[in-house]
Amino acid sequence: MSKPWQYANIGIVLASQVCTVQPLAHMLLNYLKLSFRLLLRNPFLTLINITGLSIGFAAFYILWPYAQSELRADQFYKDYGRMARLSRLYEFNEGNRERSVRIAAHNSGLSKKFADEYDEIEEVTRIVPQQFFETYRHGFGSDVFVSIDVRDGEREYFRETKLVYGDPNFFTFFSLPVVTGNPENFLAAPNTAVLSEATAARYFGDSDPLLKTIYFNDSIAFTVTGVYKNFPHNTHLGFDLMLSTAGIDGIDMTGWFTTWFGSAYIKVKEGVDFTDLQYKINLRADEIYGICPNCPGNSKTTAVIEPINEVPFTPVAGNTFVEKSRPLLISIELLAFVILFLAWVNSASLSVYQLRKRMYEIGTRKAVGAQQRDIITQFLVEAIMINLLSFILGLTMIQLFQRPIEMWLNFYIIEVTSLPVKALVVMMLTFVSGIFITVLYPIVILRMKAVLLLKKHFKVKAPLWINIVVTAQYGSALILLAWIGIVYFQLDLIISKPLGVQTTGMVVVDCPLKQTEDFESKLDVFLKEARKVSGVEDLTTSKTVIGDVALYGIPIQRNKNDIEWGFDTNGGVDENFLETFGIPILHGRNFQPDMPSDRNAILVSKDATTRMGFKRPDDAIGAKVILPWYHHDNVEIIGVYRDYEFRPFLSDLVDPNRGSFISYKTHLMSDYYPSKISIRIKMEAAATTISDIGKVFEDVFPRNIYKWSFVDENVMQYYQGERTARNQITVFTLVAVGIACLGLLGMITNKTVEKTKEIGIRKILGARLLQISQILLSNTARQLAMAAMVAIPLAYLLASRYLEKFSERITLQWWHFVFPVLLLIAIMAVTIAAVVWKAAKSNPVDALKHE
């Protein structure tokens, strides 16, 4: 039982704690009140400080988590360190030239066989992307549509572009999260399929998709056995639905012409080194891969093992995804810190300049007995207030602009709950660091004696480190301006370079998803009626158009003993293809619909004749060649046309002078049926013409989607990554320059107040606007000059590295680096023009009264 005095002791302890807490709370409240008043004393500089910091925080919290997430692509899988993709290195001689190409697609049968022959490999899984589908192997080609039953006798159709075949162990291999179904037996049975969460919603809405039937090209039925979570952004995987390879014998075959090709992934046992395993496999490369029939002389195929975390960043021929750029992501990561650094520099420099006006206040407080820790606490509370307000405003900016940022800049905002602990720690450290930087200089000032601080004419010069960091701030802005200029001019070069075809006014209409038996006759009717539409100048049909991705070329041989030369093709075209796209015939003639012999004829480009060994392009006319994949001998070359571009000017994975050919309709290549209708229209009334064409399409092909686009848009898809990068860098370069200008505006405003009396005296003595400007801007001019001396060489180095990835690039000129300096000077001049003008035109009598 407790004694009364024990309760008394407890009460005394509690009372003492309350008495201790109350003064502490009262003291903190006083600090907050004083800090708030000091911030409101100069609202303009406070606004500049908070605005700059908030923009810096917002930019950092957008860019840094995004770059971190992308740089760690495919590292979220369990055991990712033991996972790799199997690719091939194909080396060969073409004429007198040694060439090599790294190919993402691997022989599916050999990939499976590796797991049995090499103990180092624990497991193998494979996918075959849609781009590799061929009707005679997979049941349908790369043009695939899915249909589902919606009501009696009626189906709804969906065009699919991200479809794959996959092994039954794929989802357990990658430990991918699922929504519905058991990943252990997702794809265990033949003719089963799994859908992404988004695809399931697109097909079935809120209905349960399990055990529903979906039809591919209205002919092959698959049963839905599961739904998986949508893939995150930071992975190279990105298909919408997967079909099971269970029960398909062909996928395990190993011959050159019988096997399936696709992406193969291996998981090795603990402690196995990828390099050692690759070396071991390639000791038997000739035995494993054999000799490619009809391939160029001295050709050789070897295995390449790519760690899974390197796959998203590896530019390889045949990749079915857009490679991520590690240098670009590192640049974005650095840009995040640069922008935050610029914001910190502004905050620190403004704090230093404002502190110089508070010397008398600090000296008075020290003289009346204030402890150093009290004054430090005051500055700490002010710093916390400024940084906390900036932090909250920055997060608000992110919420307000999240949608435009994700749509236009292609940045995805990572939710706080999804951030790893490391990212949260770094973001918290940035907040704390901002507070520390703000109070660092006041602590140095507090070491001075009160008597010195109370002297009326005592001045404290800005510390050397402020001049250094401000110079670094301007240098960073110059580098970013030069960088965005180089990106713009390079992108303009590759976009504006002639493709060899007419693209202006060229509209591409997709042929119907479902091509019935009467499709050809209906297509003829559509072409006839579309020609009558006002504004239509010409039209043609083809399998693909300029800008469509071609993963591999179609081989041609001069004779059965010759090597196979791979050429690009837009497929079986009609007789209007070359004329509609403005491609001239250099030698020979075009296809003629009333000439039966043209069914066994092709037209080739000038570069194709060179590669095949003809001394002159016109020597090819009348020559007979072989299409080995289609078992056609004695195919006659009847014409040579001017080359046009198929591929982007971004890499050297494929020879840019590869050459091409075209055949007539489906006579030589049955799987190259018409998929695109290209129509040249007059742009004066484009909207009306496109609408009228749509009406004809709906009349001829009822219950089919009228999908159209401009050829220019098709070509631009190649450069979408570069254009997005340009937009990203442009926006955040402007942000960085804007922050630098905000800081300059604050410093010049503060300096104008400091030198009010000096400016007044000089004006009375006859000083003009130029002299007044020199007083205010002399230090800034020196900082800009130093920044330019350091920034220009760094910008040149970065620009040179950036341009290396392009097969065709601009030549760097001196004005690429001088213009950013002039531009920054102009931007800064406009920013502070009003302040300088006001100081120069103020009444000198009023200035003399200033204290």
Side-chain angles (χ1 to χ4, degrees):
M1 183 174 179
S2 300
K3 304 296 182 182
W5 56 82
Q6 291 178 321
Y7 289 107
N9 289 337
I10 295 172
I12 291 169
V13 172
L14 291 174
S16 64
Q17 290 178 345
V18 171
C19 292
T20 304
V21 171
Q22 283 184 344
L24 179 61
H26 183 70
M27 181 177 63
L28 288 176
L29 183 61
N30 287 335
Y31 283 134
L32 288 171
K33 287 181 180 178
L34 180 57
S35 299
F36 188 68
R37 289 170 185 163
L38 289 170
L39 292 179
L40 291 180
R41 181 184 293 175
N42 198 333
F44 181 66
L45 291 181
T46 300
L47 179 64
I48 287 178
N49 198 351
I50 291 177
T51 301
L53 265 180
S54 62
I55 294 173
F57 279 133
F60 181 83
Y61 296 145
I62 291 171
L63 296 175
W64 189 79
Y66 167 81
Q68 283 284 297
S69 175
E70 290 290 287
L71 285 169
R72 284 161 176 74
D74 284 321
Q75 295 183 26
F76 53 86
Y77 302 119
K78 183 182 177 182
D79 301 324
Y80 80 88
R82 297 193 288 126
M83 297 162 63
R85 182 179 71 175
L86 278 173
S87 296
R88 293 177 294 148
L89 180 65
Y90 178 52
E91 301 170 282
F92 59 97
N93 291 336
E94 189 174 272
N96 297 322
R97 215 171 133 204
E98 292 185 1
R99 295 191 57 203
S100 66
V101 59
R102 195 162 159 183
I103 305 170
H106 198 270
N107 183 308
S108 297
L110 286 177
S111 305
K112 191 73 171 179
K113 193 176 178 182
F114 282 171
D116 299 327
E117 297 188 0
Y118 293 93
D119 293 336
E120 294 89 342
I121 298 176
E122 182 179 289
E123 191 178 4
V124 172
T125 194
R126 303 161 298 179
I127 59 173
V128 180
Q130 182 174 341
Q131 289 89 331
F132 295 116
F133 287 3
E134 296 168 286
T135 304
Y136 71 96
R137 284 183 185 162
H138 308 106
F140 34 76
S142 58
D143 287 333
V144 180
F145 65 89
V146 174
S147 57
I148 60 172
D149 294 316
V150 291
R151 57 184 67 88
D152 294 340
E154 292 189 15
R155 288 181 178 175
E156 188 173 0
Y157 295 92
F158 304 88
R159 185 185 295 272
E160 293 300 340
T161 58
K162 296 181 178 180
L163 170 68
V164 298
Y165 271 96
D167 282 340
N169 69 329
F170 185 85
F171 284 88
T172 54
F173 181 96
F174 282 99
S175 303
L176 293 168
V178 302
V179 179
T180 307
N182 182 2
E184 296 287 342
N185 53 22
F186 254 178
L187 302 166
N191 288 79
T192 53
V194 291
L195 315 177
S196 70
E197 197 173 6
T199 304
R202 186 157 50 98
Y203 288 176
F204 304 105
D206 296 330
S207 302
D208 185 2
L210 285 185
L211 303 182
K212 296 283 181 68
T213 301
I214 56 178
Y215 302 90
F216 288 82
N217 288 6
D218 259 357
S219 58
I220 305 176
F222 283 79
T223 302
V224 178
T225 55
V227 177
Y228 57 90
K229 281 280 189 183
N230 297 329
F231 286 105
H233 295 279
N234 58 338
T235 178
H236 74 283
L237 299 173
F239 50 85
D240 292 332
L241 61 165
M242 176 181 278
L243 310 179
S244 176
T245 60
I248 300 176
D249 295 331
I251 195 169
D252 291 331
M253 299 180 72
T254 59
W256 275 97
F257 300 114
T258 56
T259 188
W260 290 28
F261 280 87
S263 298
Y265 302 91
I266 63 172
K267 183 184 292 184
V268 299
K269 295 177 180 178
E270 292 283 357
V272 174
D273 183 81
F274 290 135
T275 306
D276 293 342
L277 178 59
Q278 178 178 302
Y279 176 77
K280 186 176 180 179
I281 292 174
N282 286 330
L283 288 175
R284 299 174 50 215
D286 291 342
E287 174 193 341
I288 291 171
Y289 293 101
I291 304 299
C292 170
N294 305 117
C295 286
N298 299 319
S299 64
K300 182 179 181 180
T301 302
T302 53
V304 179
I305 299 179
E306 303 164 342
I308 197 71
N309 56 309
E310 291 296 325
V311 171
F313 306 100
T314 306
V316 180
N319 269 343
T320 55
F321 56 89
V322 178
E323 299 91 9
K324 300 178 189 295
S325 170
R326 182 176 274 120
L328 175 62
L329 291 169
I330 293 174
S331 299
I332 290 174
E333 193 174 34
L334 293 175
L335 181 60
F337 282 101
V338 167
I339 292 177
L340 187 59
F341 166 75
L342 297 181
W344 279 343
V345 169
N346 280 357
S347 181
S349 58
L350 288 175
S351 297
V352 167
Y353 282 107
Q354 285 182 290
L355 183 63
R356 293 163 68 183
K357 296 191 298 182
R358 295 177 62 182
M359 297 300 177
Y360 196 80
E361 172 203 331
I362 297 172
T364 302
R365 293 181 65 180
K366 291 187 71 174
V368 298
Q371 296 294 320
Q372 185 164 315
R373 69 171 181 271
D374 297 327
I375 304 176
I376 290 176
T377 304
Q378 177 61 53
F379 281 106
L380 184 62
V381 171
E382 292 176 26
I384 291 173
M385 282 188 64
I386 290 174
N387 281 271
L388 186 59
L389 288 172
S390 302
F391 180 77
I392 294 171
L393 183 57
L395 294 182
T396 304
M397 289 179 180
I398 294 175
Q399 293 298 318
L400 289 175
F401 298 107
Q402 179 173 353
R403 189 65 178 163
I405 288 170
E406 291 179 341
M407 290 181 61
W408 192 58
L409 298 181
N410 204 30
F411 282 122
Y412 51 87
I413 309 298
I414 302 176
E415 298 294 333
V416 176
T417 53
S418 302
L419 288 171
V421 175
K422 179 184 176 182
L424 290 171
V425 170
V426 170
M427 293 169 72
M428 185 56 64
L429 284 175
T430 59
F431 177 72
V432 175
S433 300
I435 297 172
F436 175 75
I437 290 170
T438 307
V439 299
L440 181 63
Y441 188 59
I443 293 174
V444 177
I445 295 297
L446 289 174
R447 294 181 179 178
M448 295 183 180
K449 294 181 179 180
V451 176
L452 186 62
L453 295 173
L454 288 170
K455 286 185 178 181
K456 185 174 182 180
H457 298 291
F458 175 71
K459 297 288 185 183
V460 178
K461 292 183 179 180
L464 178 62
W465 64 269
I466 281 291
N467 286 320
I468 292 174
V469 295
V470 169
T471 302
Q473 182 187 49
Y474 298 150
S476 301
L478 285 174
I479 290 174
L480 291 175
L481 284 173
W483 173 263
I484 188 57
I486 299 299
V487 171
Y488 176 85
F489 289 121
Q490 175 62 28
L491 194 59
D492 182 66
L493 170 72
I494 60 179
I495 290 176
S496 60
K497 181 180 177 179
L499 297 174
V501 299
Q502 179 173 332
T503 58
T504 304
M506 291 298 299
V507 175
V508 179
V509 176
D510 288 351
C511 287
L513 290 168
K514 184 178 180 181
Q515 297 188 359
T516 55
E517 293 181 358
D518 60 349
F519 168 72
E520 289 189 15
S521 60
K522 285 188 174 182
L523 179 61
D524 290 338
V525 172
F526 172 79
L527 296 176
K528 182 179 178 181
E529 294 300 317
R531 286 185 184 277
K532 300 177 182 178
V533 173
S534 176
V536 171
E537 295 184 325
D538 207 346
L539 71 170
T540 184
T541 61
S542 59
K543 173 64 175 180
T544 60
V545 294
I546 288 81
D548 286 344
V549 177
L551 293 178
Y552 50 79
I554 303 297
I556 295 178
Q557 292 175 272
R558 289 281 301 272
N559 54 65
K560 290 186 177 181
N561 297 320
D562 192 19
I563 63 175
E564 294 181 356
W565 306 89
F567 297 108
D568 292 316
T569 182
N570 283 124
V573 304
D574 65 16
E575 64 275 10
N576 301 309
F577 181 80
L578 295 179
E579 183 179 354
T580 302
F581 278 101
I583 304 168
I585 293 179
L586 304 178
H587 306 282
R589 62 176 177 84
N590 194 2
F591 296 119
Q592 297 179 11
D594 55 352
M595 190 167 290
S597 62
D598 285 1
R599 297 181 179 183
N600 196 49
I602 59 172
L603 280 72
V604 299
S605 72
K606 182 180 177 182
D607 283 345
T609 64
T610 303
R611 283 187 66 203
M612 285 190 289
F614 293 103
K615 292 183 179 180
R616 299 183 308 175
D618 57 334
D619 289 343
I621 304 300
K624 300 295 180 68
V625 295
I626 301 170
L627 267 64
W629 282 10
Y630 295 91
H631 308 291
H632 290 298
D633 298 339
N634 298 318
V635 176
E636 184 180 1
I637 299 175
I638 62 172
V640 178
Y641 56 85
R642 187 186 65 195
D643 284 273
Y644 57 92
E645 298 293 344
F646 272 77
R647 302 170 189 274
F649 309 105
L650 290 177
S651 69
D652 297 317
L653 288 176
V654 178
D655 192 338
N657 300 317
R658 165 188 184 94
S660 63
F661 78 96
I662 52 177
S663 60
Y664 189 51
K665 297 187 176 179
T666 59
H667 298 301
L668 284 176
M669 300 184 294
S670 59
D671 55 337
Y672 273 67
Y673 48 82
S675 295
K676 306 286 185 179
I677 305 168
S678 302
I679 308 173
R680 190 171 73 237
I681 65 172
K682 297 177 181 177
M683 292 302 293
E684 294 80 11
T688 302
T689 303
I690 293 171
S691 176
D692 292 343
I693 293 171
K695 294 175 182 176
V696 174
F697 185 92
E698 291 166 359
D699 288 341
V700 179
F701 304 110
R703 296 173 57 195
N704 281 279
I705 299 173
Y706 173 54
K707 182 182 177 183
W708 65 274
S709 62
F710 284 105
V711 169
D712 288 335
E713 297 173 359
N714 214 41
V715 174
M716 283 302 103
Q717 68 175 329
Y718 276 127
Y719 310 113
Q720 187 58 44
E722 293 299 315
R723 295 171 73 190
T724 300
R726 180 189 65 183
N727 293 341
Q728 292 170 344
I729 296 171
T730 300
V731 168
F732 287 100
T733 295
L734 294 177
V735 167
V737 173
I739 291 175
C741 290
L742 271 178
L744 179 62
L745 177 62
M747 283 188 288
I748 296 300
T749 302
N750 199 64
K751 195 171 184 179
T752 301
V753 175
E754 278 188 0
K755 294 184 175 290
T756 299
K757 184 173 286 188
E758 179 185 343
I759 292 172
I761 294 171
R762 289 180 179 272
K763 287 180 67 178
I764 291 173
L765 296 176
R768 299 184 179 276
L769 177 62
L770 181 61
Q771 285 81 17
I772 302 301
S773 301
Q774 288 175 344
I775 296 171
L776 298 175
L777 300 175
S778 58
N779 191 47
T780 301
R782 286 193 295 271
Q783 291 169 336
L784 267 173
M786 290 295 296
M789 291 174 62
V790 176
I792 289 177
L794 286 175
Y796 179 83
L797 178 63
L798 291 173
S800 300
R801 293 290 299 274
Y802 167 74
L803 293 174
E804 286 177 359
K805 73 182 214 175
F806 296 94
S807 57
E808 298 195 21
R809 58 184 73 98
I810 62 172
T811 302
L812 293 176
Q813 305 288 342
W814 63 268
W815 55 269
H816 285 143
F817 306 99
V818 174
F819 181 74
V821 178
L822 300 178
L823 180 61
L824 184 61
I825 292 172
I827 293 172
M828 289 183 164
V830 171
T831 303
I832 61 174
V835 176
V836 176
W837 180 264
K838 183 179 179 181
K841 295 301 179 182
S842 61
N843 190 335
V845 177
D846 294 335
L848 294 176
K849 297 176 184 178
H850 179 77
E851 286 292 342

